Amino acid sequence: MTVLLDTHLILWWMSGSPGVGPRSRALLSSSPSRYCSAVSIWEIALKKSRGKLDVVDGFEDQIPSMGMTHLPIDATHAAAVSAVSLPHRDPFDQLLVAQAQVDGLRLLTADAAILSAGLEFVLDARE
């Protein structure tokens, strides 16, 4: 199963956080492809620049060494946001959901708003 990690999952995976549940940890270990979206890099960089997140400079360069592949944002992803219906208007989450839909990926998240949308391709990372 090919997975796209939500932004907080990337941070959890980088730090070895216990927030990742056992089933999700097994999925991440066995998945042939794990993706980190450019939108997550953007979100982390914005939070870092505002002092809301402490990550090392060049954190994005660690992504491949952690077994993840960078997923760029293209016009198809951006346009697909118009069809995303989430209970909140977070543009980062909307774009992650659109990328997962367009590219046929499973989105691994612990975000309650995304999980509550009942999307069949979304997996609860706490499990």
Side-chain angles (χ1 to χ4, degrees):
M1 180 180 311
T2 303
V3 294
L4 173 62
L5 282 72
D6 196 350
T7 305
H8 60 276
L9 257 291
I10 293 164
L11 295 168
W12 287 0
W13 191 246
M14 288 174 83
S15 69
S17 170
V20 181
R23 193 169 84 188
S24 294
R25 195 170 295 280
L27 172 64
L28 286 168
S29 295
S30 67
S31 177
S33 300
R34 293 174 292 279
Y35 288 97
C36 169
S37 172
V39 75
S40 292
I41 302 298
W42 176 31
E43 183 177 15
I44 292 168
L46 280 174
K47 289 181 179 182
K48 177 182 167 110
S49 73
R50 295 177 180 162
K52 295 182 177 186
L53 189 59
D54 184 27
V55 294
V56 298
D57 290 335
F59 69 91
E60 67 279 5
D61 296 330
Q62 296 177 15
I63 299 301
S65 66
M66 295 174 50
M68 289 185 274
T69 301
H70 288 285
L71 179 63
I73 301 165
D74 66 26
T76 306
H77 297 139
V81 167
S82 67
V84 172
S85 178
L86 295 176
H88 65 317
R89 305 296 290 166
D90 183 316
F92 300 110
D93 289 348
Q94 290 177 313
L95 190 48
L96 283 169
V97 167
Q99 284 186 299
Q101 284 178 319
V102 167
D103 293 352
L105 306 172
R106 302 298 296 253
L107 177 61
L108 192 59
T109 185
D111 185 306
I114 296 173
L115 292 168
S116 73
L119 302 168
E120 62 188 42
F121 57 88
V122 175
L123 303 172
D124 190 338
R126 298 166 296 181
E127 297 179 352

